[in-house]
Amino acid sequence: MQENHKPCLTLALETSCDETSAAVVADGRVILSNVISSQVPVHQKYGGVVPEIASRKHIENVIPVVDQALRDAGVTFNDISAIGVTYGPGLVGALLVGVSVAKALSFATGIPLVGVNHLEGHIFANFLAHTKLEPPFMALVVSGGHTSLVHVKGYNEFELLGQTRDDAAGEAFDKVARVMKLPYPGGPYIDRLALTGNPEAIAFPRALPGKDSFEFSFSGLKSAVLNYLNSAAQKEEEINKADVAASFQAAIVDVLISKSLQAATNCGVKQIVLAGGVAANSSLKAKMESACQKAGFSLYFPDIILCTDNAAMIACRAYYQHLVGDYADLHLNAKPSLKLGNR
């Protein structure tokens, strides 16, 4: 029977920020293609993503990227069972490019359309990296725009336990990096710089402590780092950039780890997964792994290419929606402020 199995192929598009991506995934778990056209060099000169430029680049790149994804997978639209697309959250202009193309493809081919929540996609990247992983588990989603703790009860059942009240972890990394005159995106540069610094050199604050508090706040930490740097500049004091980076990073990582373990304990789950761009941070992975081993939790995180925005994770999420008939119609619109678990 297994030899005659015809895989269910999902084509997906991802254009929520500054990566134009298309992918083909088989049975929700096997990546046949995952094409990503990054705009980082374009936005680097501005120190961050410029929404209007991002939208225009998506328009230029999206059709070639879809064509390449189909070619790389060695398939045509006749082989595709569902078309998934990110429709939120993200930059509205960028989202609209992907949504418009996905709707046009669905209309032209008759293939069912699936609207995917970008944050759920990040969580589902773990299913691509770990084919035996199944819910339930605790997911820590950490990216440039989001920091959330999510109890994933099933493939289509999520409970948002807490999220950031202000700056997300990745946003704090980028803002501090900019002030330290590090290139954009700042997270990887701070991560590398921190390797040579002392994480205990500067006592930066840890916000919203408490046993049952699963909300995050990084705005105060960001301000504390900026005040430290400005004060040193005014006094013409030398600063050790590596120590600043290590101490700042430690303040973020400590909070992320302690809240994740407490949330998993409260929900009675034994698996924790990392998701989102900051899941690529070496300190977060190493310290979380150590903490999970001590506490008896299993830790999962995606490969680096699946931590950043990509269409393979969107295809994986779309597949599980396809299985339960969770389709969108041609009135699907971009929802830039879409919440996790919402439709």
Side-chain angles (χ1 to χ4, degrees):
M1 288 290 290
Q2 198 66 29
E3 289 179 10
N4 296 326
H5 169 71
K6 185 183 178 186
C8 177
L9 303 186
T10 306
L11 168 69
L13 285 78
E14 156 61 32
T15 64
S16 65
C17 190
D18 62 336
E19 268 93 19
T20 314
S21 183
V24 178
V25 170
D27 295 329
R29 298 273 183 157
V30 180
I31 300 172
L32 302 184
S33 65
N34 188 25
V35 180
I36 304 169
S37 176
S38 176
Q39 300 178 20
V40 166
V42 176
H43 298 281
Q44 219 157 27
K45 66 183 98 167
Y46 304 105
V49 177
V50 181
E52 174 65 17
I53 294 175
S55 302
R56 290 177 182 275
K57 286 292 177 185
H58 284 310
I59 292 169
E60 291 175 19
N61 296 335
V62 66
I63 298 301
V65 162
V66 170
D67 287 343
Q68 188 67 49
L70 292 169
R71 276 199 304 275
D72 287 358
V75 300
T76 69
F77 282 107
N78 292 331
D79 304 304
I80 302 297
S81 299
I83 295 173
V85 63
T86 303
Y87 74 106
L91 302 174
V92 64
L95 289 166
L96 280 169
V97 176
V99 168
S100 299
V101 171
K103 287 198 296 186
L105 292 174
S106 175
F107 177 75
T109 61
I111 300 170
L113 178 67
V114 180
V116 175
N117 184 309
H118 179 75
L119 300 180
E120 293 171 15
H122 271 304
I123 294 170
F124 277 57
N126 282 280
F127 293 129
L128 297 168
H130 308 282
T131 54
K132 303 293 186 191
L133 175 65
E134 291 186 0
F137 53 74
M138 184 59 55
L140 173 66
V141 183
V142 270
S143 65
H146 307 276
T147 304
S148 315
L149 272 170
V150 187
H151 183 194
V152 180
K153 299 178 179 180
Y155 288 108
N156 298 293
E157 189 179 358
F158 312 91
E159 181 187 1
L160 179 63
L161 299 182
Q163 59 190 339
T164 184
R165 294 182 180 178
D166 40 57
D167 288 4
E171 193 177 359
F173 269 111
D174 287 341
K175 288 180 177 176
V176 167
R178 191 182 308 165
V179 174
M180 292 176 69
K181 295 184 169 48
L182 298 173
Y184 171 86
Y189 291 94
I190 285 186
D191 191 12
R192 282 200 288 272
L193 188 57
L195 292 173
T196 58
N198 176 6
E200 298 176 2
I202 307 157
F204 290 131
R206 274 73 166 160
L208 301 179
K211 190 175 179 184
D212 297 315
S213 167
F214 303 124
E215 299 284 295
F216 297 92
S217 171
F218 297 110
S219 180
L221 169 61
K222 178 196 70 180
S223 297
V225 178
L226 300 189
N227 288 340
Y228 177 87
L229 294 171
N230 289 335
S231 174
Q234 287 171 358
K235 295 173 186 174
E236 298 183 345
E237 293 175 349
E238 279 284 324
I239 63 159
N240 185 321
K241 280 191 171 185
D243 283 353
V244 174
S247 300
F248 162 68
Q249 182 167 270
I252 287 183
V253 167
D254 289 352
V255 170
L256 293 176
I257 292 173
S258 63
K259 288 181 182 283
S260 297
L261 266 60
Q262 188 61 54
T265 301
N266 283 20
C267 292
V269 296
K270 283 297 183 181
Q271 302 182 116
I272 295 176
V273 311
L274 300 181
V278 183
N281 181 277
S282 65
S283 177
L284 175 60
K285 287 192 290 189
K287 289 185 176 179
M288 182 73 91
E289 202 148 33
S290 174
C292 283
Q293 281 179 352
K294 286 180 188 170
F297 294 109
S298 298
L299 177 66
Y300 300 88
F301 46 81
D303 303 329
I304 287 180
I305 193 67
L306 295 175
C307 289
T308 53
D309 293 347
N310 67 91
M313 68 183 192
I314 303 304
C316 176
R317 177 68 190 110
Y319 168 78
Y320 287 98
Q321 291 176 245
H322 167 63
L323 290 184
V324 295
D326 180 11
Y327 300 124
D329 59 27
L330 295 179
H331 295 290
L332 181 69
N333 201 359
K335 290 190 178 178
S337 301
L338 184 67
K339 301 292 185 245
L340 200 142
N342 287 3
R343 289 285 171 268

